[in-house]
Amino acid sequence: MALNQIASSSSRSNLLKPLITLFRPFSSSPADNTILTVETSVPFTGHNCDPPSRTVETTPTELLGFFKDMALMRRMEIAADSLYKSKLIRGFCHLYDGQEAVAVGMEAAITKKDCIITAYRDHCIYLGRGGTLVEAFSELMGRKGGCSKGKGGSMHFYKKDGGFYGGHGIVGAQVPLGCGLAFAQKYSKDGTVTFALYGDGAANQGQLFEALNMAALWDLPAILVCENNHYGMGTAEWRAAKSPAYYKRGDYVDGMDAFAVKQACKFAKEHALKNGPIVSTFIQLLFYYRLVSQSNAALERLHWNKQIRYRRQRILCSIGNMTAALSTPCSIIKFFGSFPFIILEMDTYRYHGHSMSDPGSTYRTRDEISGVRQERDPVERIRKLVLSHELATEKELKEIEKEIRKQVDEAIAQAKESPMPDPSELFTNVYVKGFGVEHVGDYGEFSIEIRLSGEKEGSEMPPLSTAEGWCGGRLGLEAYLLGFEGMDFSQILSYTEGNESFNQEAETSRPKLCFGISGLNMKPYTKIKVGYAYNRGPVPHFDPMRPLA
Amino acid sequence: MAAIFHGFGPAAAALSSSSSFDSKRFQLPSLKSQTERKGSVLVVRSDGRVIPGSNPKGRSAGKLVTNAVAAKADSSATATASKPGHELLLFEALREGLEEEMDRDPTVCVMGEDVGHYGGSYKVTKDLATKYGDLRVLDTPIAENSFTGMAIGAAMTGLRPIVEGMNMGFLLLAFNQISNNCGMLHYTSGGQFTIPVVIRGPGGVGRQLGAEHSQRLESYFQSIPGIQMVACSTPYNAKGLMKAAIRSENPVILFEHVLLYNLKERIPDEEYVLSLEEAEMVRPGEHITILTYSRMRYHVMQAAKTLVNKGYDPEVIDIRSLKPFDLHTIGNSVKKTHRVLIVEECMRTGGIGASLTAAISENFHDYLDAPIVCLSSQDVPTPYAGTLEEWTVVQPAQIVAAVEQLCQ
């Protein structure tokens, strides 16, 4: 089935269909190193730069890989949905299904040394960067085996060795961080780039423009990618921005087409590294009309009064867009001039609501959602590609999906068995090395100095020595050790903890932390720092959520 | 008794066992008892003596600085010729520390407004851009939120940026980045990322700078988990704390004071790094513990002169470390004197003094003979008029009155 893309405004409805032109220059049996060419569904639009060509080269392995990855991501998000509804995942859970093409296409174009940083809709990007399903689910359920040890949650997935820098909850705050990553890459001159992802809602943030300015000013190898799913939480983008063209400003990329994403990211990376110093602005007539058609249905549901207002706004918007499109670059663009950094806009869509607490249907119609699912679903698109290239049969694809479902279920089962974090984990990783947290009340670390006392000063160190520490606090509390510093820990063969009260000169009982260390070659009267924490009961039953008595 | 490890001085090590000060202890018997260290870094104890005989912190005995703004090089001119070390102003000390760290570690970089070509609005980064280049000493546009965010992002990959806020008050614009990303990333990533960033800048009440430029941000930042805060007050501890902050793996906020930049002091020639969590014993005493930091240290020392004449013996501790508090030094002092006065420049409500009062009364309640008194700035926006501004901050006369009342 060869389908042609006609980019004309007359056949608007055609624009909504995923239309792919396939070329099969060689025989129909795909070998692993066959180059397949795929054409993207919608042409790229660029501003002040030549957009990349619509023809993307790929191999059967990559194509099948895309399918597997995206199906896995889709499955994971759906599973997370049901886990949330069964209250195993709490808090916020922002799901990425519908947008998988962006994650997968981007990964295909870059290496693990390049950095990606994104906002809170990060589960699939984490997977793409090399994260495992078990770690992802464990983190979502707050278990110790999670990628952030259960302390981050859905919005804080990180993978340092995979070049994934998160995972950030505050809208837009990750963009300056992304510029910082790019700055570090420029500083160390290692030829890598940073992709800083943000959404259409974040595109109205001031810090985005500050970051744009700085990235442009210092030629940072940063590529800012707007994952435009057209809704910032519950507000459609044309209701949040006076001129969506202005605030998005990117090369237009069809974000539901993984190959378009891949091509664009490859192009962007080369551009950024080669100092191809052009900023691209998005001329979005094409997009705009599509948006109009999609949101028409939503509009009809509004009261006629509001309808008038919004329609008027839309007309104004479109005039603004057309003016922007037709006129020469406005002063802002001129100011930007020519820089390596690039902005991409991925036109994508999310099926779920903004988060699990948002049904996703109050600000858009179910018809719109199912329309996009029918016509632009990224997984379906790849499935059709695979089938039409005869890389696998329908049955085989179904097998793959079943296998993926099994994988996901197994991962969930494994994650469910992962233990909750230890109570002492409350205090770890606040600071590096774990010292220096002031002791306040019951919970806290306290860095003290103690002496290892030997039999007498200057004597040979006995194999066992006792360390004592001063600690002040409330009566009846126990303290437990968190760690030592200043000792060669390989020398500590064993240590035991104990707590006892004793009467000091102030005639009060104070908890005294005692522990014995046995080791080799420890000099008497050496001073070491000890971190310890109070808890309100014995350590195994430490419950930080209990209110202080 | 100066065991030194990991570049951090023992927190008043000698005091851990005894509850009384012994002036003999202030002589470090020898620095040769140091354990092996790389290079010739000295780690200094909290009482501050580096070399027996030299007196970098000469304030303890006789010579009190009466003018907290700029120490005039008065009688020190004759005596200093033969003394070791070199004399410099506080901003030069900061620059020296910065330069040494930038020489030592190529990943250290500075970013801020006007730090590069202009040399820094308080000359702390003067000539560094010509030496290290524009990328390492980066002039940023006026966008505190994003260049702080940029520094944090760069720190995630391993660089060690130093962010200069032209005035601490401007860092309020970067509060989101400092609180959420700087302080919390190490925790929420499960320890994957460290953020070894230093955020520094001058704050405090200056000379009629107006309300928005006279802010004390210690109180706003103090409850952010994951950051450390230090306040420097002399050229000696400015350089030491700057170096320690740069070397620390944790994000550190270094509070300087606008009026202290021209303080002159003699500091050692050798390289030294101070401990970030340690308080400084400015003047040992017996009757009352006065805890202070930054510019108020000088008001306290001025008041101490009067108090000594009146027969009191205050123990003055410059707490230096605002987060976490050095409860060890403070605790030992409270155990000895049983009375505490806190003198700070922060606001009354929710300031550092308020937290310190709570911490001390929680931990050392049984050792106190009198309630803790906290003297802080008034809860008003700093007025422009000079006389009014004077009364916003704590004056020595008020300190003397408070001590007299406490020590009845």
Side-chain angles (χ1 to χ4, degrees), chain B residues 68-90:
Chain B
V69 177
K72 298 165 179 75
D74 33 21
S75 54
S76 46
T78 47
T80 51
S82 55
K83 290 210 169 102
H86 55 287
E87 246 189 5
L88 39 56
L89 305 175
L90 196 145

PDB file of all heavy atoms in Angstrom, chain B residues 68-90:
ATOM      1  N   ALA B  68      33.589  48.314  61.735  1.00  0.00           N
ATOM      2  CA  ALA B  68      33.334  47.026  61.086  1.00  0.00           C
ATOM      3  C   ALA B  68      33.384  47.105  59.583  1.00  0.00           C
ATOM      4  O   ALA B  68      33.248  46.127  58.901  1.00  0.00           O
ATOM      5  CB  ALA B  68      31.979  46.495  61.524  1.00  0.00           C
ATOM      6  N   VAL B  69      33.519  48.279  59.058  1.00  0.00           N
ATOM      7  CA  VAL B  69      33.432  48.398  57.602  1.00  0.00           C
ATOM      8  C   VAL B  69      34.777  48.204  56.958  1.00  0.00           C
ATOM      9  O   VAL B  69      34.976  47.360  56.117  1.00  0.00           O
ATOM     10  CB  VAL B  69      32.863  49.775  57.222  1.00  0.00           C
ATOM     11  CG1 VAL B  69      32.859  49.909  55.722  1.00  0.00           C
ATOM     12  CG2 VAL B  69      31.469  49.903  57.761  1.00  0.00           C
ATOM     13  N   ALA B  70      35.709  48.984  57.360  1.00  0.00           N
ATOM     14  CA  ALA B  70      37.018  48.835  56.739  1.00  0.00           C
ATOM     15  C   ALA B  70      38.057  49.036  57.810  1.00  0.00           C
ATOM     16  O   ALA B  70      38.081  50.056  58.476  1.00  0.00           O
ATOM     17  CB  ALA B  70      37.198  49.851  55.632  1.00  0.00           C
ATOM     18  N   ALA B  71      38.885  48.050  57.964  1.00  0.00           N
ATOM     19  CA  ALA B  71      39.916  48.189  58.986  1.00  0.00           C
ATOM     20  C   ALA B  71      41.010  49.068  58.440  1.00  0.00           C
ATOM     21  O   ALA B  71      41.596  48.792  57.403  1.00  0.00           O
ATOM     22  CB  ALA B  71      40.465  46.813  59.327  1.00  0.00           C
ATOM     23  N   LYS B  72      41.254  50.107  59.148  1.00  0.00           N
ATOM     24  CA  LYS B  72      42.362  50.939  58.702  1.00  0.00           C
ATOM     25  C   LYS B  72      43.636  50.264  59.159  1.00  0.00           C
ATOM     26  O   LYS B  72      43.734  49.733  60.247  1.00  0.00           O
ATOM     27  CB  LYS B  72      42.240  52.317  59.328  1.00  0.00           C
ATOM     28  CG  LYS B  72      40.960  52.971  58.867  1.00  0.00           C
ATOM     29  CD  LYS B  72      40.602  54.166  59.708  1.00  0.00           C
ATOM     30  CE  LYS B  72      39.338  54.793  59.190  1.00  0.00           C
ATOM     31  NZ  LYS B  72      38.138  54.113  59.481  1.00  0.00           N
ATOM     32  N   ALA B  73      44.613  50.314  58.328  1.00  0.00           N
ATOM     33  CA  ALA B  73      45.871  49.659  58.693  1.00  0.00           C
ATOM     34  C   ALA B  73      46.613  50.549  59.657  1.00  0.00           C
ATOM     35  O   ALA B  73      47.498  51.295  59.290  1.00  0.00           O
ATOM     36  CB  ALA B  73      46.694  49.437  57.425  1.00  0.00           C
ATOM     37  N   ASP B  74      46.211  50.490  60.910  1.00  0.00           N
ATOM     38  CA  ASP B  74      46.809  51.428  61.861  1.00  0.00           C
ATOM     39  C   ASP B  74      48.119  50.912  62.423  1.00  0.00           C
ATOM     40  O   ASP B  74      49.152  50.941  61.769  1.00  0.00           O
ATOM     41  CB  ASP B  74      45.810  51.765  62.974  1.00  0.00           C
ATOM     42  CG  ASP B  74      44.923  50.572  63.287  1.00  0.00           C
ATOM     43  OD1 ASP B  74      45.311  49.440  62.973  1.00  0.00           O
ATOM     44  OD2 ASP B  74      43.845  50.767  63.825  1.00  0.00           O
ATOM     45  N   SER B  75      48.045  50.390  63.612  1.00  0.00           N
ATOM     46  CA  SER B  75      49.329  50.070  64.235  1.00  0.00           C
ATOM     47  C   SER B  75      49.946  48.812  63.682  1.00  0.00           C
ATOM     48  O   SER B  75      51.036  48.436  64.044  1.00  0.00           O
ATOM     49  CB  SER B  75      49.135  49.927  65.745  1.00  0.00           C
ATOM     50  OG  SER B  75      48.119  48.978  65.968  1.00  0.00           O
ATOM     51  N   SER B  76      49.224  48.174  62.802  1.00  0.00           N
ATOM     52  CA  SER B  76      49.798  46.935  62.301  1.00  0.00           C
ATOM     53  C   SER B  76      50.970  47.186  61.380  1.00  0.00           C
ATOM     54  O   SER B  76      51.747  46.306  61.086  1.00  0.00           O
ATOM     55  CB  SER B  76      48.728  46.117  61.579  1.00  0.00           C
ATOM     56  OG  SER B  76      47.995  46.950  60.726  1.00  0.00           O
ATOM     57  N   ALA B  77      51.088  48.407  60.907  1.00  0.00           N
ATOM     58  CA  ALA B  77      52.130  48.678  59.911  1.00  0.00           C
ATOM     59  C   ALA B  77      53.513  48.391  60.472  1.00  0.00           C
ATOM     60  O   ALA B  77      54.349  47.783  59.814  1.00  0.00           O
ATOM     61  CB  ALA B  77      52.033  50.130  59.456  1.00  0.00           C
ATOM     62  N   THR B  78      53.735  48.802  61.702  1.00  0.00           N
ATOM     63  CA  THR B  78      55.085  48.613  62.234  1.00  0.00           C
ATOM     64  C   THR B  78      55.352  47.156  62.563  1.00  0.00           C
ATOM     65  O   THR B  78      56.414  46.633  62.285  1.00  0.00           O
ATOM     66  CB  THR B  78      55.265  49.423  63.525  1.00  0.00           C
ATOM     67  OG1 THR B  78      54.108  49.161  64.352  1.00  0.00           O
ATOM     68  CG2 THR B  78      55.319  50.902  63.215  1.00  0.00           C
ATOM     69  N   ALA B  79      54.358  46.523  63.114  1.00  0.00           N
ATOM     70  CA  ALA B  79      54.615  45.181  63.630  1.00  0.00           C
ATOM     71  C   ALA B  79      54.610  44.126  62.555  1.00  0.00           C
ATOM     72  O   ALA B  79      55.128  43.040  62.740  1.00  0.00           O
ATOM     73  CB  ALA B  79      53.580  44.837  64.700  1.00  0.00           C
ATOM     74  N   THR B  80      53.998  44.453  61.412  1.00  0.00           N
ATOM     75  CA  THR B  80      53.797  43.361  60.461  1.00  0.00           C
ATOM     76  C   THR B  80      54.998  43.111  59.577  1.00  0.00           C
ATOM     77  O   THR B  80      55.049  42.137  58.851  1.00  0.00           O
ATOM     78  CB  THR B  80      52.610  43.663  59.537  1.00  0.00           C
ATOM     79  OG1 THR B  80      52.809  44.963  58.988  1.00  0.00           O
ATOM     80  CG2 THR B  80      51.319  43.622  60.304  1.00  0.00           C
ATOM     81  N   ALA B  81      55.922  44.021  59.608  1.00  0.00           N
ATOM     82  CA  ALA B  81      57.018  43.866  58.664  1.00  0.00           C
ATOM     83  C   ALA B  81      57.734  42.542  58.862  1.00  0.00           C
ATOM     84  O   ALA B  81      58.126  41.874  57.906  1.00  0.00           O
ATOM     85  CB  ALA B  81      57.990  45.027  58.834  1.00  0.00           C
ATOM     86  N   SER B  82      57.862  42.147  60.109  1.00  0.00           N
ATOM     87  CA  SER B  82      58.637  40.957  60.344  1.00  0.00           C
ATOM     88  C   SER B  82      57.767  39.705  60.413  1.00  0.00           C
ATOM     89  O   SER B  82      58.269  38.603  60.488  1.00  0.00           O
ATOM     90  CB  SER B  82      59.403  41.099  61.655  1.00  0.00           C
ATOM     91  OG  SER B  82      58.463  41.403  62.660  1.00  0.00           O
ATOM     92  N   LYS B  83      56.463  39.896  60.394  1.00  0.00           N
ATOM     93  CA  LYS B  83      55.606  38.727  60.578  1.00  0.00           C
ATOM     94  C   LYS B  83      55.494  37.958  59.272  1.00  0.00           C
ATOM     95  O   LYS B  83      55.524  38.530  58.199  1.00  0.00           O
ATOM     96  CB  LYS B  83      54.210  39.179  61.018  1.00  0.00           C
ATOM     97  CG  LYS B  83      54.198  39.738  62.409  1.00  0.00           C
ATOM     98  CD  LYS B  83      52.848  39.479  63.056  1.00  0.00           C
ATOM     99  CE  LYS B  83      52.938  39.795  64.519  1.00  0.00           C
ATOM    100  NZ  LYS B  83      52.345  41.065  64.852  1.00  0.00           N
ATOM    101  N   PRO B  84      55.286  36.660  59.396  1.00  0.00           N
ATOM    102  CA  PRO B  84      55.104  35.862  58.180  1.00  0.00           C
ATOM    103  C   PRO B  84      53.712  36.094  57.600  1.00  0.00           C
ATOM    104  O   PRO B  84      52.823  36.604  58.261  1.00  0.00           O
ATOM    105  CB  PRO B  84      55.257  34.422  58.673  1.00  0.00           C
ATOM    106  CG  PRO B  84      54.861  34.484  60.088  1.00  0.00           C
ATOM    107  CD  PRO B  84      55.242  35.821  60.607  1.00  0.00           C
ATOM    108  N   GLY B  85      53.545  35.672  56.380  1.00  0.00           N
ATOM    109  CA  GLY B  85      52.245  35.832  55.747  1.00  0.00           C
ATOM    110  C   GLY B  85      52.198  37.131  54.982  1.00  0.00           C
ATOM    111  O   GLY B  85      53.159  37.890  54.906  1.00  0.00           O
ATOM    112  N   HIS B  86      51.081  37.404  54.412  1.00  0.00           N
ATOM    113  CA  HIS B  86      50.939  38.631  53.642  1.00  0.00           C
ATOM    114  C   HIS B  86      49.602  39.259  53.974  1.00  0.00           C
ATOM    115  O   HIS B  86      48.642  38.596  54.339  1.00  0.00           O
ATOM    116  CB  HIS B  86      51.054  38.349  52.144  1.00  0.00           C
ATOM    117  CG  HIS B  86      50.095  37.305  51.663  1.00  0.00           C
ATOM    118  ND1 HIS B  86      50.242  35.966  51.940  1.00  0.00           N
ATOM    119  CD2 HIS B  86      48.954  37.408  50.938  1.00  0.00           C
ATOM    120  CE1 HIS B  86      49.248  35.300  51.404  1.00  0.00           C
ATOM    121  NE2 HIS B  86      48.443  36.125  50.786  1.00  0.00           N
ATOM    122  N   GLU B  87      49.598  40.582  53.804  1.00  0.00           N
ATOM    123  CA  GLU B  87      48.393  41.316  54.162  1.00  0.00           C
ATOM    124  C   GLU B  87      47.534  41.500  52.953  1.00  0.00           C
ATOM    125  O   GLU B  87      48.036  41.815  51.873  1.00  0.00           O
ATOM    126  CB  GLU B  87      48.810  42.707  54.666  1.00  0.00           C
ATOM    127  CG  GLU B  87      48.491  42.896  56.105  1.00  0.00           C
ATOM    128  CD  GLU B  87      48.713  44.335  56.531  1.00  0.00           C
ATOM    129  OE1 GLU B  87      49.017  45.178  55.665  1.00  0.00           O
ATOM    130  OE2 GLU B  87      48.569  44.575  57.720  1.00  0.00           O
ATOM    131  N   LEU B  88      46.250  41.311  53.124  1.00  0.00           N
ATOM    132  CA  LEU B  88      45.382  41.687  52.006  1.00  0.00           C
ATOM    133  C   LEU B  88      43.969  41.958  52.488  1.00  0.00           C
ATOM    134  O   LEU B  88      43.637  41.738  53.652  1.00  0.00           O
ATOM    135  CB  LEU B  88      45.363  40.591  50.914  1.00  0.00           C
ATOM    136  CG  LEU B  88      45.367  39.126  51.268  1.00  0.00           C
ATOM    137  CD1 LEU B  88      44.256  38.720  52.160  1.00  0.00           C
ATOM    138  CD2 LEU B  88      45.369  38.315  49.984  1.00  0.00           C
ATOM    139  N   LEU B  89      43.180  42.471  51.585  1.00  0.00           N
ATOM    140  CA  LEU B  89      41.795  42.787  51.890  1.00  0.00           C
ATOM    141  C   LEU B  89      40.936  41.558  51.662  1.00  0.00           C
ATOM    142  O   LEU B  89      41.335  40.618  50.991  1.00  0.00           O
ATOM    143  CB  LEU B  89      41.318  43.927  50.996  1.00  0.00           C
ATOM    144  CG  LEU B  89      42.180  45.188  51.039  1.00  0.00           C
ATOM    145  CD1 LEU B  89      41.699  46.196  50.024  1.00  0.00           C
ATOM    146  CD2 LEU B  89      42.160  45.790  52.422  1.00  0.00           C
ATOM    147  N   LEU B  90      39.757  41.597  52.197  1.00  0.00           N
ATOM    148  CA  LEU B  90      38.912  40.394  52.157  1.00  0.00           C
ATOM    149  C   LEU B  90      38.574  39.977  50.731  1.00  0.00           C
ATOM    150  O   LEU B  90      38.603  38.797  50.403  1.00  0.00           O
ATOM    151  CB  LEU B  90      37.633  40.630  52.970  1.00  0.00           C
ATOM    152  CG  LEU B  90      36.830  39.380  53.341  1.00  0.00           C
ATOM    153  CD1 LEU B  90      36.203  39.551  54.694  1.00  0.00           C
ATOM    154  CD2 LEU B  90      35.749  39.095  52.331  1.00  0.00           C
TER     155      LEU B  90
END
